[in-house]
Amino acid sequence: MLVLSAATGKFGTNVHIVAPGRGAPCLIVDPGHDAADAVAETVRAHRLEPEAILITHGHMDHTWDAVPLARRYGIPAWIHPADRYQFGAPAKGLPDTFPRELLVGHPDQEPEQVAELPADGGELHFAATRVTVLHTPGHTGGSVMFHFGDADTDAPLLATGDTLLAGGRGRADAPGASPASLEASLRTVAATCPGGTRLLTGHGPAGTLSQTGIR
């Protein structure tokens, strides 16, 4: 599996591109602020064909460039229904103390094509790869993780958003967050995913599940 990642924009959010190889269909995960140009350059360099945008949760630093990328490639953005409202109302997912000037320039609208992820998790089948959606509420009510490939793959990949970072569990102190739900979600992930699962995190370095200390 070809995985290309970059930290972009003023929030340093990781955007990930996942494909079976060069010259193949690809999936774009969490295109944040200033991600569009980096994604376009990577797509050109590796002759990729974007098939869909996958959003791990609705916070604006993970959705910022979903609108221009969805328009550019004519593809849908997939998001959990509980977080969909944040496309058009990014401030609602943030604490009152968050500096509102940092929202200047956000599209404040949905992409032209939006598809809702299965509310309780499930499988999606793309030309690029099979994706298992895990509903992992806690950081937000609609947080999800994306498992790429077959369940028995030798090097499983898991896009974790901000629910699980290389250093451990994510935060659960913004509107719609739930510390109890976050802990329950992480217990489920720890029980169902092998320790060698490679994490494609929302911020910071990549890592493996065993390195996070949750299992």
Side-chain angles (χ1 to χ4, degrees), residues 147-171:
H147 181 281
F148 298 100
D150 296 327
D152 58 353
T153 183
D154 291 335
L157 294 171
L158 188 67
T160 61
D162 289 353
T163 298
L164 183 61
L165 305 177
R169 53 189 40 76
R171 296 175 59 174

Side-chain angles (χ1 to χ4, degrees), residues 190-209:
T192 57
C193 296
T197 300
R198 180 181 172 191
L199 306 182
L200 306 180
T201 59
H203 298 271
T208 64
L209 184 60

Side-chain angles (χ1 to χ4, degrees), residues 1-4 15-20 24-30 39 43 48-54 75-76 78 124-131 146-149:
M1 190 78 72
L2 178 66
V3 179
L4 303 160
V15 58
H16 307 285
I17 299 176
V18 179
C26 70
L27 303 171
I28 303 166
V29 181
D30 285 0
V39 168
V43 166
L48 300 173
E49 301 172 9
E51 185 177 4
I53 296 167
L54 304 180
I75 58 177
W78 290 77
L124 301 175
H125 294 268
F126 296 102
T129 184
R130 183 174 70 179
V131 177
F146 298 111
H147 181 281
F148 298 100

Side-chain angles (χ1 to χ4, degrees), residues 41-212:
E41 177 57 32
T42 300
V43 166
R44 283 194 298 270
H46 294 272
R47 298 180 290 105
L48 300 173
E49 301 172 9
E51 185 177 4
I53 296 167
L54 304 180
I55 303 293
T56 62
H57 64 290
H59 284 165
M60 53 86 199
D61 57 323
H62 292 253
T63 67
W64 198 293
D65 273 4
V67 167
L69 284 170
R71 182 183 302 121
R72 180 172 194 153
Y73 295 113
I75 58 177
W78 290 77
I79 192 168
H80 192 278
D83 276 13
R84 181 173 178 172
Y85 72 95
Q86 294 184 54
F87 271 138
K92 289 186 177 181
L94 301 171
D96 292 337
T97 55
F98 186 86
R100 290 313 191 253
E101 62 269 20
L102 293 180
L103 295 176
V104 174
H106 189 279
D108 290 341
Q109 65 185 53
E110 289 191 345
E112 294 174 5
Q113 299 181 59
V114 177
E116 293 190 351
L117 297 166
D120 297 322
E123 289 191 356
L124 301 175
H125 294 268
F126 296 102
T129 184
R130 183 174 70 179
V131 177
T132 302
V133 182
L134 307 177
H135 183 210
T136 52
H139 183 68
T140 67
S143 286
V144 301
M145 296 187 187
F146 298 111
H147 181 281
F148 298 100
D150 296 327
D152 58 353
T153 183
D154 291 335
L157 294 171
L158 188 67
T160 61
D162 289 353
T163 298
L164 183 61
L165 305 177
R169 53 189 40 76
R171 296 175 59 174
D173 56 358
S178 167
S181 295
L182 180 67
E183 292 303 317
S185 294
L186 293 180
R187 285 195 298 270
T188 298
V189 170
T192 57
C193 296
T197 300
R198 180 181 172 191
L199 306 182
L200 306 180
T201 59
H203 298 271
T208 64
L209 184 60
S210 61
Q211 291 171 338
T212 66

